[in-house]
Amino acid sequence: PKLINTEFDLLVGTDASVAKPFPGAVPHLLFKCGTAFLSVAKPRGKFPRLLQGRRLFLSDPSTEWQLDKWLRSQSIEALRATPTADPEIARQLAVAGWGVVALPYIAAGANRDLKVIGRANAVQWRVYAFTRDRRPRNRLVRLLLDNAPPRSR
């Protein structure tokens, strides 16, 4: 399918929902990273056991199955909330003290209100750049795509 609205050169996101308004957008994998678990205060116990019985907010539905699999492999039964399509909603629920939020490693440092309580490399986030064309013409977009880390291509 052709793009109906071609008023963009680059969209970045963790799943295809970012490009929904632009049918036919071409995804390019930029990189992968693990998951950080953040909370207002560090709960008692060692990670990952401290997740046992806690509300866990997932900021992106695209990693839900990986997180479920990882929790089962750790024999952890967390109270699961429905994943939100907006990471800010999940983050604000954690800031309000309602539970723990799972975010990509790369986003963990930007959350000054929350503390990293653990990390799981087994739960991978994929970050994509969406473009209009398979081989973008814009030089800056090409530069970004050509310099993505080699392990993610």
Side-chain angles (χ1 to χ4, degrees):
K2 287 281 189 195
L3 285 172
I4 295 169
N5 181 348
T6 58
E7 296 298 317
F8 80 100
D9 286 311
L10 180 72
L11 299 169
V12 177
T14 55
D15 69 11
S17 66
V18 170
K20 267 188 184 171
F22 307 98
V26 180
H28 306 271
L29 182 62
L30 288 179
F31 61 89
K32 299 176 192 175
C33 67
T35 299
F37 295 86
L38 295 90
S39 178
V40 172
K42 183 162 179 149
R44 292 179 182 246
K46 288 185 91 174
F47 185 82
R49 300 296 319 151
L50 59 78
L51 295 174
Q52 184 70 35
R54 299 214 179 270
R55 282 191 194 100
L56 186 58
F57 300 107
L58 185 58
S59 63
D60 186 338
S62 68
T63 56
E64 183 177 13
W65 69 271
Q66 288 183 66
L67 183 61
D68 284 340
K69 182 179 172 183
W70 180 77
L71 288 169
R72 280 194 309 274
S73 75
Q74 302 294 318
S75 300
I76 294 171
E77 290 185 31
L79 299 175
R80 291 294 308 282
T82 304
T84 63
D86 183 357
E88 186 58 23
I89 294 171
R91 195 186 80 71
Q92 287 299 326
L93 289 167
V95 168
W98 284 80
V100 175
V101 65
L103 294 171
Y105 284 165
I106 197 164
N111 290 281
R112 305 223 188 288
D113 301 333
L114 299 169
K115 296 177 176 85
V116 175
I117 60 170
R119 298 176 185 260
N121 202 37
V123 182
Q124 290 283 300
W125 296 73
R126 289 169 177 78
V127 178
Y128 294 92
F130 295 90
T131 61
R132 291 184 291 208
D133 307 306
R134 186 162 302 286
R135 197 70 193 133
R137 293 181 201 106
N138 182 304
R139 287 186 4 209
L140 291 174
V141 173
R142 270 200 328 259
L143 183 66
L144 174 73
L145 297 176
D146 291 344
N147 287 295
R151 68 181 183 280
S152 63
R153 288 188 194 159

